[in-house]
Amino acid sequence: MFIIILAKGIQVTLYPYSMKDYFKVDEWKIIEEGFDQHYNKVAESVLSLGNGRMGQRANFEEAYSGDTLQGNYIAGVYYPDKTRVGWWKNGYPEYFAKVLNAANWIGIDVWIGNEQLDLAKCEVLSFRRELNMKEGYLKRNFRAKTASGKEVEVEAIRFCSMADDETGVIKYTITPVNFEGDVTLTPYIDGDIVNKDSNYDEKFWDEVSKKINTDNGFVQLRTKKTGFEVATAMKFAVLQNNTSVKVESAPIQKEKYIAAEIKLQARQGQSITLIKYAANLSSQNYKANELAAKAIAMVERISNKGFDAMLAEQAAAWAVKWKYNDIVIEGDVAAQQGIRFNIFQLNQTYTGEDDRLNIGPKGFTGEKYGGSTYWDTEAYCVPFYLATAEPKVARNLLLYRYKQLGKAIDNAKLLGFKNGAALYPMVTIDGTECHNEWEINFEEIHRNGAIAHAIFNYTRYTGDETYLADYGLEVLIAISRFWAQRITWSGERQQYVMLGVTGPNEYENNVNNNWYTSTIATWCLKYTLEVIGKVKEANAAKYNQLIGKVAFNEETECAKFADIIAKMYFPYDDKLQIFLQQDGYLDKEQILVKDLPVTERPLVQKWSWDRILRSVFIKQADVLQGLYFFEDNYDIETIRRNFEFYEPRTVHESSLSPCVHAILAAKLGDMDKAYEFYLRTSRLDIDDYNNDTDDGCHITSMAGTWMAVVEGFGGMRVRDGILSFNPLLPPKWNAFSFQIGFRGALLNVRVSREGVSIKNTSAQAITVKVYNASHIINAGDEALIKINNQL
């Protein structure tokens, strides 16, 4: 039995036992052993597939009439769904851009005589579904009995190809166990699909054309309003008892739908296999009038390779990825499974090959958040891609924002800002603000700071300061112009103040002087002044060209920035010696999370919004987010006091929260808390901690899991252009190791009870610091640092 409750308009399902008992623990696989329909949507999310260009939830190939969320997605293809609000305010966006549920290409209807194979109606005798993260495929095995008593065994293997990133393939095998007779397989493409999150229940696709042939076919669709076109093609082959056979197929066509019905005579104990090849080609990359022909050519090409060759290519592609970003945890299989799951999902969501694309909070695993870009990318994902991929990957994430600078300026203008000030959107696909809640759209302006911090992070890590002159400074000036206008001079305080904002803790709205927002705003101004100096000195001609382009008055605008920096107000409590989250925070009733009844959590699902806003409870790291970003500005005791005050008040109802707490806890030497927060962030979706994985995984926070290991337990930082480590080993681990790419060098760092080993697997020497001592590691060499008292 399960319960459905409604909270703030959200449907929530509570299950009769913990999700922590559901998926089996394994180092390289996510395993669902046995089938529970109540957990199906969670499993569909967790076992999702993708390749950076397209992706899908782990829906069944055959029909399923139970609770499911169908999901197939094409990166960059979206629809501007008209905003739905109860009370329109000036400055609201006209639409919410959504990555669309695209044509369902995995479908294979199965009929056993006159009975349709449907696990919601059959007796499921055995069931196993596993995501092989090492080699990048999804495998499902089950045995089912129909109402008439016929039993079949099915094995389905599928993947989205990394080698051919516009394609996918399925190998679907059915074996009669106790009967002989007719079996009908009908592979299809269905474009007549909907988005569950459609604001007005409309369908977003129109048909352009379709065709079904003997063994292949396509459906070409066009999005309403935006005019994206996508051709989805399929080709299929049939084997009986592992031998290829020629079959006759009956074509079927409906609106936005094609299929081929294949009737076969099945023999007991002998397998029937359908191999279905598919391609999704978008008008982003091809001329619309060539899509269908190219999609058919694509499936013909991959079918000539064959399933086994494609599977081998898939394993090889994933082997390369794991070589550069695997994390090995020895002695703790649950922790190992968690980190690999997070890294796997990140790699199949974004590859960095296309600077028009970004990382939605749900990636290819669901519709929530519209598949759009948030500040999560800059704050959490950029560090991961900096260290685990070629520099161009993180650079492309920055260029995505640079190319949308004009729309960020338009967005600020819409809210009344002038002189080229830019406010980057909270939610976007094409640069236009899409968030329709005033407390987020108008007030959660700290997002601008994350954009600036990513520029700082990129140049600090890569040493590529040419980016500043080419792109970065133009963005920084526009952001700083926004801060200079958004900040207010208080005659009463004789200081600058920040009024009417929402910090990272979204359980507070319209507050004055949120410490984090004020801190990152003044940091932006300081950093902009610093970069002005650097660019001016390094390339005066380019600097002069830029200030002419943006009409920057260096004397007056720099003076304004400096004045704000010198006179900014930051809320602080002298008695507790902590930074106050915002003015009046201590007026709240100071209840700790440990005193909350378990039955009242998550708060967002159990409390009214009014009660949440009046409470002391913190959704995610707020002050602590600032201490994480700018830790070098504060001594360890300042960080400790603030951590010990705010951590007990944080409910972690944002997926972005536990990783920051894990990093700070490790820095403070609190390994129990650091491990607790690491395990929570790494297994957030596998164990469905927040009871919200059914609508998709939390992809962007998964980069925070990587940060918790590498920056938390590994203590990795970049200071003065030098990579440094201050490792700590969680008591439950025997050892852990990770890969780091840094300015052309590739390092394997292993931390054990004996000490730290760093192996340079690249062709160039590198200087690193371990516990503040410098070590030169030549190409191919390994440094062993034995400092037992540190570990």
Side-chain angles (χ1 to χ4, degrees):
M1 181 179 179
F2 60 102
I3 304 166
I4 296 179
I5 63 173
L6 293 176
K8 205 188 174 188
I10 301 172
Q11 180 172 292
V12 178
T13 305
L14 297 180
Y15 298 108
Y17 53 89
S18 171
M19 275 298 298
K20 294 179 183 178
D21 302 322
Y22 194 61
F23 294 109
K24 304 299 180 185
V25 175
D26 184 276
E27 291 186 351
W28 279 109
K29 297 176 181 178
I30 308 295
I31 301 169
E32 180 187 19
E33 191 78 60
F35 181 55
D36 188 324
Q37 295 190 43
H38 298 148
Y39 291 152
N40 184 52
K41 288 201 295 186
V42 174
E44 288 177 343
S45 297
V46 171
L47 304 174
S48 293
L49 295 171
N51 60 15
R53 188 73 64 184
M54 66 187 215
Q56 60 185 198
R57 291 170 60 81
N59 308 126
F60 298 161
E61 290 85 3
E62 73 279 353
Y64 181 66
S65 58
D67 196 16
T68 182
L69 176 61
Q70 286 289 322
N72 290 272
Y73 310 101
I74 311 298
V77 175
Y78 68 93
Y79 176 82
D81 199 9
K82 185 179 178 182
T83 299
R84 189 167 194 164
V85 294
W87 178 19
W88 190 270
K89 298 176 178 64
N90 287 336
Y92 264 174
E94 294 183 3
Y95 63 84
F96 192 101
K98 295 175 177 177
V99 170
L100 300 185
N101 191 2
N104 177 12
W105 62 267
I106 68 169
I108 303 171
D109 279 338
V110 180
W111 287 82
I112 301 164
N114 61 359
E115 296 175 291
Q116 188 173 34
L117 183 60
D118 178 347
L119 293 191
K121 298 176 179 177
C122 294
E123 181 183 353
V124 181
L125 303 175
S126 65
F127 184 94
R128 180 183 174 94
R129 183 164 38 171
E130 65 180 47
L131 179 66
N132 186 315
M133 299 180 289
K134 188 173 185 178
E135 298 182 358
Y137 64 84
L138 177 64
K139 181 179 179 181
R140 182 168 58 106
N141 294 86
F142 67 86
R143 184 168 177 168
K145 181 192 290 186
T146 68
S148 68
K150 293 177 181 177
E151 294 182 20
V152 293
E153 289 182 346
V154 172
E155 178 177 272
I157 302 173
R158 76 173 188 252
F159 56 90
C160 295
S161 173
M162 285 287 187
D164 297 288
D165 65 4
E166 294 166 312
T167 72
V169 62
I170 304 165
K171 184 178 183 180
Y172 191 93
T173 301
I174 182 168
T175 304
V177 175
N178 64 351
F179 71 94
E180 295 187 354
D182 291 339
V183 169
T184 304
L185 303 179
T186 306
Y188 64 83
I189 297 170
D190 183 8
D192 192 24
I193 38 74
V194 297
N195 268 52
K196 182 181 177 182
D197 67 350
S198 171
N199 284 339
Y200 296 90
D201 299 323
E202 65 178 313
K203 294 181 178 180
F204 300 143
W205 296 95
D206 288 326
E207 181 181 305
V208 176
S209 60
K210 63 178 180 283
K211 187 176 183 180
I212 180 67
N213 301 310
T214 303
D215 64 352
N216 68 30
F218 73 89
V219 174
Q220 185 165 331
L221 305 173
R222 180 188 298 119
T223 60
K224 297 176 181 179
K225 296 184 181 178
T226 46
F228 291 106
E229 293 193 25
V230 175
T232 301
M234 70 173 180
K235 181 179 174 64
F236 53 87
V238 176
L239 295 84
Q240 284 192 285
N241 215 24
N242 298 316
T243 300
S244 180
V245 295
K246 289 186 177 181
V247 294
E248 296 293 328
S249 65
I252 302 171
Q253 293 192 59
K254 298 186 290 187
E255 183 184 5
K256 308 176 195 174
Y257 177 97
I258 61 163
E261 185 181 78
I262 307 164
K263 291 188 175 182
L264 299 159
Q265 187 65 28
R267 296 185 178 276
Q268 183 176 347
Q270 294 189 8
S271 64
I272 297 172
T273 299
L274 176 74
I275 301 178
K276 182 179 182 182
Y277 303 92
N280 286 295
L281 272 60
S282 164
S283 58
Q284 297 175 101
N285 306 307
Y286 302 88
K287 293 179 180 178
N289 62 359
E290 298 177 354
L291 281 173
K294 288 187 178 294
I296 289 293
M298 183 79 75
V299 292
E300 291 291 340
R301 182 175 66 80
I302 62 173
S303 69
N304 287 334
K305 286 187 186 181
F307 179 86
D308 291 341
M310 290 186 70
L311 186 60
E313 288 179 341
Q314 182 80 344
W318 274 103
V320 172
K321 289 187 176 295
W322 288 118
K323 176 182 177 182
Y324 289 103
N325 52 40
D326 190 20
I327 290 179
V328 178
I329 296 173
E330 300 173 30
D332 188 340
V333 180
Q336 177 69 86
Q337 183 185 45
I339 188 60
R340 281 192 173 134
F341 173 70
N342 285 251
I343 293 171
F344 177 80
Q345 290 288 357
L346 285 164
N347 276 311
Q348 65 175 9
T349 300
Y350 182 76
T351 62
E353 295 298 321
D354 190 336
D355 64 18
R356 297 170 299 176
L357 303 179
N358 208 286
I359 308 157
K362 294 289 185 180
F364 295 124
T365 72
E367 299 171 11
K368 193 174 181 182
Y369 307 118
S372 300
T373 301
Y374 286 63
W375 66 285
D376 310 14
T377 291
E378 284 73 26
Y380 298 88
C381 297
V382 164
F384 169 78
Y385 291 107
L386 279 172
T388 64
E390 293 294 322
K392 71 171 185 178
V393 175
R395 185 183 176 96
N396 277 347
L397 288 173
L398 270 60
L399 285 172
Y400 176 89
R401 295 292 194 177
Y402 174 77
K403 291 180 177 182
Q404 295 179 355
L405 177 59
K407 290 190 176 181
I409 291 171
D410 290 342
N411 183 47
K413 192 181 300 182
L414 187 65
L415 302 185
F417 296 88
K418 303 174 183 178
N419 192 34
L423 176 60
Y424 275 92
M426 185 68 180
V427 178
T428 194
I429 289 181
D430 68 349
T432 304
E433 177 63 80
C434 293
H435 207 293
N436 62 3
E437 294 177 340
W438 63 268
E439 67 273 18
I440 307 300
N441 182 354
F442 303 155
E443 294 194 343
E444 200 167 342
I445 54 178
H446 67 81
R447 60 191 187 257
N448 251 12
I451 309 297
H453 194 267
I455 296 170
F456 164 75
N457 222 354
Y458 170 80
T459 56
R460 173 178 62 176
Y461 197 92
T462 64
D464 175 19
E465 296 203 340
T466 62
Y467 184 84
L468 298 174
D470 292 342
Y471 308 106
L473 181 54
E474 187 175 350
V475 173
L476 292 172
I477 287 174
I479 287 174
S480 290
R481 282 171 160 173
F482 170 82
W483 290 125
Q485 295 174 51
R486 183 59 170 78
I487 290 166
T488 303
W489 175 255
S490 168
E492 178 71 21
R493 291 187 185 274
Q494 289 295 294
Q495 287 180 289
Y496 289 99
V497 294
M498 183 80 76
L499 305 178
V501 298
T502 296
N505 171 25
E506 293 171 341
Y507 288 176
E508 300 273 8
N509 300 149
N510 199 36
V511 301
N512 292 334
N513 300 306
N514 171 260
W515 181 85
Y516 173 77
T517 305
S518 297
T519 297
I520 203 163
T522 51
W523 173 85
C524 285
L525 297 172
K526 290 178 187 177
Y527 183 53
T528 300
L529 292 177
E530 177 188 327
V531 172
I532 286 172
K534 283 185 177 182
V535 173
K536 193 174 180 181
E537 180 179 349
N539 195 331
K542 186 164 282 189
Y543 173 75
N544 289 330
Q545 182 182 14
L546 173 61
I547 64 172
K549 175 183 176 182
V550 301
F552 184 69
N553 187 316
E554 182 177 351
E555 182 177 355
T556 59
E557 294 193 64
C558 287
K560 177 69 171 180
F561 298 168
D563 194 50
I564 293 171
I565 293 165
K567 298 174 183 176
M568 191 70 189
Y569 164 72
F570 301 96
Y572 184 81
D573 185 78
D574 290 320
K575 182 179 179 181
L576 296 174
Q577 294 185 288
I578 60 168
F579 305 117
L580 291 181
Q581 184 175 269
Q582 74 265 348
D583 287 350
Y585 182 77
L586 292 180
D587 292 336
K588 295 170 176 283
E589 185 180 7
Q590 297 297 311
I591 304 172
L592 304 184
V593 174
K594 68 179 179 63
D595 298 321
L596 276 173
V598 174
T599 55
E600 296 190 16
R601 297 182 62 190
L603 300 184
V604 72
Q605 297 172 7
K606 303 299 183 68
W607 283 16
S608 71
W609 198 242
D610 166 74
R611 189 179 180 190
I612 288 174
L613 292 175
R614 289 186 287 107
S615 80
V616 76
F617 298 116
I618 301 168
K619 180 183 179 183
Q620 68 189 77
D622 196 302
V623 169
L624 299 186
Q625 181 75 41
L627 294 177
Y628 161 67
F629 268 170
F630 307 118
E631 62 177 348
D632 291 345
N633 296 341
Y634 308 101
D635 62 60
I636 195 70
E637 290 308 314
T638 297
I639 296 173
R640 187 185 308 279
R641 285 194 303 273
N642 282 275
F643 183 84
E644 291 177 351
F645 180 82
Y646 286 109
E647 188 279 319
R649 292 162 172 80
T650 305
V651 291
H652 301 291
E653 291 181 10
S654 164
S655 63
L656 302 174
S657 187
C659 64
V660 172
H661 285 74
I663 295 166
L664 292 177
K667 181 182 180 71
L668 296 170
D670 190 340
M671 294 304 287
D672 288 340
K673 280 196 180 299
Y675 177 80
E676 173 193 338
F677 289 129
Y678 161 75
L679 207 60
R680 177 165 182 165
T681 190
S682 70
R683 299 188 63 83
L684 181 76
D685 291 310
I686 298 173
D687 295 337
D688 196 18
Y689 266 98
N690 288 337
N691 195 35
D692 61 357
T693 305
D694 56 347
D695 57 17
C697 294
H698 300 80
I699 301 300
T700 46
S701 72
M702 291 178 178
T705 304
W706 178 91
M707 289 159 54
V709 175
V710 175
E711 297 184 12
F713 302 133
M716 190 190 82
R717 304 289 189 274
V718 178
R719 293 192 173 98
D720 300 322
I722 301 293
L723 199 60
S724 67
F725 302 93
N726 190 40
L728 296 166
L729 184 64
K732 293 188 178 182
W733 298 357
N734 298 326
F736 70 98
S737 62
F738 53 90
Q739 318 293 322
I740 291 295
F742 183 73
R743 301 189 182 184
L746 181 63
L747 306 178
N748 176 274
V749 181
R750 185 174 187 272
V751 181
S752 68
R753 303 198 191 288
E754 288 69 46
V756 182
S757 70
I758 302 179
K759 185 174 182 179
N760 184 354
T761 60
S762 63
Q764 68 179 58
I766 185 173
T767 298
V768 301
K769 286 187 175 182
V770 181
Y771 303 123
N772 295 319
S774 294
H775 303 268
I776 299 173
I777 309 175
N778 292 318
D781 285 356
E782 183 174 2
L784 301 173
I785 301 100
K786 294 187 177 182
I787 309 179
N788 292 324
N789 63 318
Q790 299 286 347
L791 296 169

